[in-house]
């Protein structure tokens, strides 16, 4: 579990770094991770390797959509 927790943390931080690298203001990012605490699927572990992005307001959504193009 400790290894997966670290993996989850690195994955989340890496995504945040990439978004910041491509122009999203770092002060708009709140990075957290759940590791094995919140699986989507208890039998398909690949489905649990994910990053979830919560968009707080429309400006952030527009900015992220621009970055993902």
């Amino acid at each position: 579990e400790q290894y997966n927790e670290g993996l989850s943390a690195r994955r989340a931080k890496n995504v945040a770094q990439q978004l910041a690298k491509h122009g999203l203001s770092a002060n708009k990012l709140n990075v957290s991770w759940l590791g094995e605490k919140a699986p989507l699927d208890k039998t398909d572990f690949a489905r649990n390797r994910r990053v979830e992005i919560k968009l707080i307001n429309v400006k952030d959504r527009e900015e992220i959509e621009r970055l993902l193009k």
Side-chain angles (χ1 to χ4, degrees):
E1 186 175 328
Q2 184 177 1
Y3 173 79
N4 286 331
E5 184 75 20
L7 184 63
S8 182
R10 289 190 301 277
R11 183 180 293 118
K13 290 175 183 178
N14 192 15
V15 169
Q17 288 172 350
Q18 290 300 313
L19 289 171
K21 180 180 173 182
H22 290 285
L24 186 66
S25 300
N27 63 351
K28 292 183 178 183
L29 299 172
N30 180 11
V31 180
S32 60
W33 53 92
L34 298 172
E36 295 179 347
K37 297 173 194 155
L40 290 176
D41 190 325
K42 293 186 187 265
T43 60
D44 183 359
F45 297 107
R47 261 192 91 204
N48 296 324
R49 294 182 198 113
R50 68 191 187 280
V51 172
E52 295 179 9
I53 299 173
K54 294 182 182 179
L55 304 174
I56 304 303
N57 63 44
V58 174
K59 288 181 184 177
D60 289 342
R61 188 179 90 204
E62 291 170 353
E63 190 171 357
I64 288 192
E65 286 174 353
R66 178 184 57 80
L67 295 172
L68 294 176
K69 288 183 180 180

